[in-house]
Coordinates of all heavy atoms in Angstrom, one line a residue:
T43 N 32.2 -25.3 -41.3 CA 30.9 -24.7 -40.9 C 31.0 -23.2 -40.6 O 30.1 -22.5 -40.9 CB 30.4 -25.5 -39.6 OG1 31.4 -25.4 -38.6 CG2 30.1 -26.9 -40.0
A44 N 32.1 -22.8 -40.0 CA 32.3 -21.4 -39.6 C 32.8 -20.5 -40.7 O 32.8 -19.3 -40.6 CB 33.1 -21.3 -38.4
R45 N 33.3 -21.1 -41.8 CA 34.0 -20.3 -42.8 C 35.1 -19.5 -42.2 O 35.4 -18.3 -42.6 CB 33.0 -19.5 -43.6 CG 33.5 -19.0 -45.0 CD 32.5 -18.1 -45.7 NE 33.0 -17.8 -47.0 CZ 32.5 -18.3 -48.2 NH1 31.5 -19.1 -48.1 NH2 33.0 -17.9 -49.3
G46 N 35.8 -20.1 -41.3 CA 36.9 -19.4 -40.6 C 37.3 -20.2 -39.3 O 37.1 -21.4 -39.3
P47 N 37.8 -19.5 -38.3 CA 38.2 -20.2 -37.1 C 37.1 -20.9 -36.4 O 35.9 -20.5 -36.6 CB 38.8 -19.0 -36.2 CG 39.2 -18.0 -37.2 CD 38.2 -18.1 -38.3
P48 N 37.3 -21.9 -35.6 CA 36.3 -22.6 -34.9 C 35.4 -21.7 -34.1 O 35.9 -20.8 -33.5 CB 37.1 -23.6 -34.0 CG 38.3 -23.8 -34.7 CD 38.7 -22.5 -35.4
P49 N 34.1 -21.9 -34.1 CA 33.2 -21.0 -33.3 C 33.6 -20.9 -31.8 O 33.4 -19.8 -31.3 CB 31.8 -21.7 -33.5 CG 31.9 -22.5 -34.7 CD 33.4 -23.0 -34.8
V50 N 34.1 -21.9 -31.2 CA 34.4 -21.8 -29.8 C 35.6 -20.9 -29.6 O 35.8 -20.2 -28.6 CB 34.6 -23.2 -29.2 CG1 36.0 -23.8 -29.6 CG2 34.5 -23.1 -27.6
V51 N 36.5 -20.9 -30.6 CA 37.7 -19.9 -30.5 C 37.2 -18.5 -30.7 O 37.6 -17.6 -30.0 CB 38.7 -20.3 -31.6 CG1 39.8 -19.2 -31.7 CG2 39.3 -21.7 -31.3
E52 N 36.3 -18.3 -31.6 CA 35.7 -16.9 -31.8 C 34.9 -16.5 -30.6 O 34.9 -15.3 -30.3 CB 34.9 -16.9 -33.1 CG 35.6 -17.1 -34.4 CD 36.6 -16.0 -34.6 OE1 37.7 -16.0 -34.1 OE2 36.2 -15.1 -35.4
R53 N 34.3 -17.4 -29.9 CA 33.5 -17.1 -28.7 C 34.5 -16.7 -27.6 O 34.2 -15.7 -26.9 CB 32.6 -18.2 -28.3 CG 31.6 -17.9 -27.2 CD 30.8 -19.1 -26.9 NE 30.1 -19.5 -28.1 CZ 29.4 -20.7 -28.1 NH1 29.3 -21.5 -27.1 NH2 28.8 -21.1 -29.2
A54 N 35.6 -17.4 -27.5 CA 36.6 -17.0 -26.4 C 37.2 -15.7 -26.8 O 37.4 -14.9 -25.9 CB 37.6 -18.1 -26.4
D55 N 37.4 -15.4 -28.1 CA 37.9 -14.1 -28.5 C 37.0 -13.0 -28.1 O 37.4 -12.0 -27.6 CB 38.2 -14.2 -30.0 CG 38.6 -12.8 -30.5 OD1 37.8 -12.0 -30.9 OD2 39.9 -12.6 -30.6
A56 N 35.7 -13.2 -28.3 CA 34.7 -12.2 -28.0 C 34.6 -12.0 -26.5 O 34.5 -10.8 -26.0 CB 33.3 -12.6 -28.5
L57 N 34.8 -13.0 -25.7 CA 34.7 -12.9 -24.2 C 35.9 -12.2 -23.7 O 35.8 -11.4 -22.7 CB 34.6 -14.3 -23.6 CG 33.3 -15.0 -23.7 CD1 33.4 -16.4 -23.2 CD2 32.2 -14.3 -23.0
A58 N 37.1 -12.4 -24.2 CA 38.4 -11.9 -23.7 C 38.7 -10.5 -24.3 O 39.5 -9.8 -23.7 CB 39.5 -12.9 -24.0
R59 N 38.1 -10.2 -25.4 CA 38.5 -8.9 -26.1 C 38.2 -7.7 -25.2 O 37.1 -7.6 -24.6 CB 37.8 -8.8 -27.4 CG 38.2 -7.6 -28.2 CD 37.3 -7.5 -29.5 NE 37.4 -8.7 -30.3 CZ 36.4 -9.4 -30.6 NH1 35.1 -9.0 -30.3 NH2 36.5 -10.5 -31.4
I60 N 39.1 -6.8 -25.1 CA 38.9 -5.5 -24.5 C 38.6 -4.5 -25.6 O 39.5 -4.2 -26.4 CB 40.1 -5.1 -23.6 CG1 40.4 -6.2 -22.6 CG2 39.9 -3.8 -22.9 CD1 41.7 -5.9 -21.8
G61 N 37.4 -4.0 -25.6 CA 37.0 -3.1 -26.7 C 37.7 -1.7 -26.7 O 38.3 -1.3 -25.7
V62 N 37.5 -1.0 -27.8 CA 38.2 0.3 -27.9 C 37.7 1.2 -26.8 O 38.5 1.9 -26.2 CB 37.8 0.9 -29.3 CG1 38.3 2.4 -29.4 CG2 38.5 0.1 -30.4
D63 N 36.4 1.3 -26.6 CA 35.9 2.2 -25.5 C 36.4 1.8 -24.1 O 36.7 2.6 -23.3 CB 34.4 2.2 -25.5 CG 33.8 2.9 -26.8 OD1 34.6 3.7 -27.4 OD2 32.7 2.7 -27.1
E64 N 36.5 0.4 -23.9 CA 37.0 -0.1 -22.6 C 38.4 0.3 -22.4 O 38.9 0.6 -21.3 CB 36.7 -1.6 -22.6 CG 35.3 -2.0 -22.5 CD 35.1 -3.5 -22.7 OE1 35.8 -4.0 -23.6 OE2 34.2 -4.0 -22.1
K65 N 39.2 0.1 -23.5 CA 40.6 0.5 -23.4 C 40.8 2.0 -23.0 O 41.6 2.3 -22.2 CB 41.4 0.2 -24.7 CG 41.5 -1.3 -25.1 CD 42.2 -1.5 -26.4 CE 42.3 -2.9 -26.8 NZ 42.9 -3.1 -28.1
A66 N 40.1 2.8 -23.7 CA 40.2 4.3 -23.4 C 39.7 4.5 -21.9 O 40.4 5.3 -21.2 CB 39.3 5.1 -24.3
A67 N 38.7 3.9 -21.5 CA 38.2 4.1 -20.1 C 39.3 3.6 -19.1 O 39.5 4.2 -18.1 CB 36.9 3.4 -19.9

């Protein structure tokens, strides 16, 4: 269905990810 990793895994990835701007800050 997701044509990739399970949606709940991608959602966890989005919640935990520290973005580029956040890393710089």
Side-chain angles (χ1 to χ4, degrees):
T43 56
R45 202 182 181 106
V50 75
V51 170
E52 292 295 84
R53 190 176 304 169
D55 176 272
L57 290 172
R59 185 184 305 123
I60 304 175
V62 171
D63 292 341
E64 294 168 319
K65 291 179 181 180

